[in-house]
Amino acid sequence: MQAQAPYIKNDLGTADGLGGYGYLEKDATTFVRMHRNTYGNINQLRARWFVTDNNPGNGNGIEYIYNTNDGPEGTWNCDNGTNHKRTTDYSASHFGSEWQAGAQAYVSVYAQYGCPVNSSSHSSGTGFNERQFRIVDVAQTGAVSTGVTDGNGSCLTNNVVGSFTIDVGTASGISLRRFFVQNSGTATEGTNIPNDGIKLFYETSTGSESFDGTESSSNLYGDWGGDSQTNNIYGFDNANINLSGLVRFYLVVCDMTSTVIPTASRPTAFNFSIINDGISMSPNLDGQNTLRINQTSLGGAAPFPVVLASFTGRSENKASILEWQTSTEIGNSHFEVQRSFNLNTFENIGRVEGYGTTTTDKTYVFTDAQPRIGANYYRLKQVDFDGKFSYSRIISVIVRTNGEVALFPNPTAEKLRVEGLESGSLLSV
């Protein structure tokens, strides 16, 4: 049964406002939606905010009042109209230095009774239905790698696609429970990314940390809402990641099951954002644990700078002919052609200029005129204009001799070097 007193409406969705939240992001925007229930003689409700910086020794705190009559929905006009109205959006500027990560915000309802509106008998009720909130700061850091190429689950190959921090200030005992993101890029759930192909790594932020795979981590799963194929949403429920001070998070694609082909309308493979109401924290505050947040982007888009459609090689007249084709290029400066004889050490043997940015197929040819007889191994190092790079797969080219053999030095007294023999050949001297 609902109480007769006015209260802060606490459901999410169509009612909106801050009532359905327990945590407020430091830079978010929201308002108070208040419900008058069955009282018909209420002509105005007020939202009284009181914010303290979570340091009781300072004795700091500041109050600010928001009126429903000042909100976009206008006045109640006493007993006419809807039973709930909203105030204007709050502004952090009203609370000065108290509005900081870790601070506590208290919001209560003040009512003004008396009808008709012009009656001199108006009376203002005292505050009731007070709610508590915690302020946290979520900030993107922009650390995004391009050329996500890893397909073996190791999480360590150019595949950090988003990075952000969560700051709870001096508050203690807070943990991250629920976290969900959605990818608007070309890489699709189920087809390109397996159900457990994404992880969230995290560590205490010192200001100079970087991702190396040794951080703590939690899997993000793609079966949110029972849909593991089409909604491109990944996350976890009921985790317990301790939030102490400032914590940095890395969103990492650890595995891919097929090639991603960008399109003109969606040129990026990964572009992750936190879904609406996608973060929940612990403990519950007045029964609520969802974080109200505005900024949801996790650092920008992570494109495949070059989509390599094919890379092949063949032997021709004792030379290695390399050919490759791209279907899309984004900011492609050039390719470095690298060769190895042992699969361990590669050397640059040439450079081929790229086409910059294009969505049409482009074909490249490079000739290695001085390969060794036998197996030669090649890879491409694709380099962006901003210096970022990624490697292609390795291919091999077997160079044969057509029966010609070279022996030197001639004359010789101790050692004789032979070149041109294919594996399994027999030589008589």
Side-chain angles (χ1 to χ4, degrees):
M1 176 177 289
Q2 294 179 330
Q4 292 297 302
Y7 63 93
I8 300 170
K9 198 166 178 63
N10 64 3
D11 50 328
L12 298 173
T14 56
D16 210 355
L18 59 70
Y21 299 95
Y23 296 83
L24 303 177
E25 204 276 321
K26 183 172 179 286
D27 302 311
T29 299
T30 188
F31 51 87
V32 184
R33 182 177 291 276
M34 293 179 289
H35 200 292
R36 68 175 180 173
N37 207 338
T38 57
Y39 273 104
N41 65 333
I42 296 176
N43 65 72
Q44 184 184 60
L45 289 179
R46 298 184 175 98
R48 183 252 187 186
W49 287 68
F50 183 78
V51 178
T52 173
D53 66 2
N54 200 40
N55 190 343
N58 291 339
N60 292 336
I62 191 168
E63 176 186 88
Y64 196 85
I65 303 295
Y66 292 87
N67 299 316
T68 54
N69 286 8
D70 298 331
E73 296 172 357
T75 64
W76 252 301
N77 197 19
C78 287
D79 58 351
N80 296 325
T82 180
N83 279 336
H84 53 80
K85 287 187 178 296
R86 57 164 289 185
T87 67
T88 54
D89 292 341
Y90 78 82
S91 171
S93 64
H94 291 152
F95 307 105
S97 61
E98 282 81 6
W99 193 263
Q100 59 179 272
Q104 296 180 84
Y106 301 89
V107 183
S108 56
V109 177
Y110 272 59
Q112 185 176 42
Y113 301 92
C115 287
V117 174
N118 61 359
S119 171
S120 60
S121 61
H122 290 335
S123 61
S124 295
T126 59
F128 45 106
N129 294 118
E130 185 173 79
R131 292 281 310 281
Q132 178 186 1
F133 304 88
R134 179 75 70 175
I135 310 301
V136 299
D137 190 14
V138 180
Q140 64 177 23
T141 63
V144 178
S145 298
T146 60
V148 181
T149 58
D150 186 28
N152 60 13
S154 72
C155 298
L156 295 176
T157 309
N158 294 332
N159 51 2
V160 178
V161 295
S163 179
F164 62 99
T165 57
I166 296 180
D167 187 6
V168 297
T170 59
S172 60
I174 298 179
S175 62
L176 180 64
R177 292 182 52 188
R178 181 176 182 271
F179 180 79
F180 281 90
V181 295
Q182 186 169 28
N183 179 32
S184 60
T186 310
T188 57
E189 178 184 8
T191 301
N192 306 119
I193 306 173
N195 183 55
D196 58 351
I198 299 177
K199 283 187 178 181
L200 187 67
F201 288 77
Y202 54 94
E203 62 182 336
T204 300
S205 178
T206 62
S208 59
E209 67 280 352
S210 61
F211 175 70
D212 60 14
T214 63
E215 300 82 0
S216 301
S217 66
S218 183
N219 278 90
L220 275 64
Y221 294 98
D223 53 1
W224 183 78
D227 184 348
S228 60
Q229 297 292 326
T230 61
N231 61 18
N232 293 310
I233 295 178
Y234 312 83
F236 55 71
D237 276 307
N238 301 317
N240 188 27
I241 299 175
N242 180 47
L243 298 176
S244 179
L246 183 65
V247 179
R248 182 187 291 273
F249 293 85
Y250 308 92
L251 189 65
V252 181
V253 175
C254 297
D255 204 359
M256 294 185 63
T257 56
S258 62
T259 302
V260 178
I261 305 297
T263 63
S265 60
R266 297 170 66 199
T268 60
F270 302 104
N271 191 2
F272 283 96
S273 298
I274 301 170
I275 69 170
N276 187 39
D277 301 330
I279 294 181
S280 294
M281 297 181 174
S282 181
N284 289 4
L285 298 176
D286 291 332
Q288 306 295 331
N289 61 20
T290 304
L291 172 68
R292 168 66 176 171
I293 184 172
N294 277 12
Q295 179 61 53
T296 60
S297 173
L298 296 185
F304 279 123
V306 172
V307 177
L308 198 62
S310 63
F311 178 34
T312 61
R314 69 181 187 278
S315 175
E316 187 176 295
N317 298 325
K318 298 183 185 178
S320 294
I321 311 299
L322 308 178
E323 296 184 6
W324 63 96
Q325 186 179 67
T326 63
S327 58
T328 298
E329 298 183 18
I330 302 174
N332 180 24
S333 171
H334 64 275
F335 295 92
E336 294 177 7
V337 182
Q338 300 184 344
R339 180 183 64 194
S340 175
F341 302 122
N342 56 15
L343 286 176
N344 293 320
T345 303
F346 282 84
E347 61 175 340
N348 287 338
I349 62 172
R351 171 176 169 141
V352 179
E353 298 302 316
Y355 283 89
T357 298
T358 177
T359 56
T360 60
D361 293 349
K362 299 298 181 182
T363 300
Y364 299 84
V365 179
F366 179 85
T367 300
D368 178 11
Q370 296 181 318
R372 284 189 179 179
I373 302 301
N376 297 262
Y377 302 97
Y378 299 93
R379 71 181 182 187
L380 302 174
K381 180 180 179 181
Q382 183 274 315
V383 183
D384 294 347
F385 287 118
D386 61 6
K388 295 178 180 178
F389 61 87
S390 61
Y391 292 102
S392 73
R393 66 185 181 94
I394 298 172
I395 64 171
S396 64
V397 176
I398 306 299
V399 178
R400 305 187 183 279
T401 66
N402 297 325
E404 297 180 3
V405 177
L407 295 86
F408 57 92
N410 183 20
T412 183
E414 295 180 354
K415 296 180 179 180
L416 179 66
R417 181 171 178 177
V418 180
E419 286 191 355
L421 286 181
E422 298 181 15
S423 177
S425 298
L426 177 64
L427 176 66
S428 297
V429 178

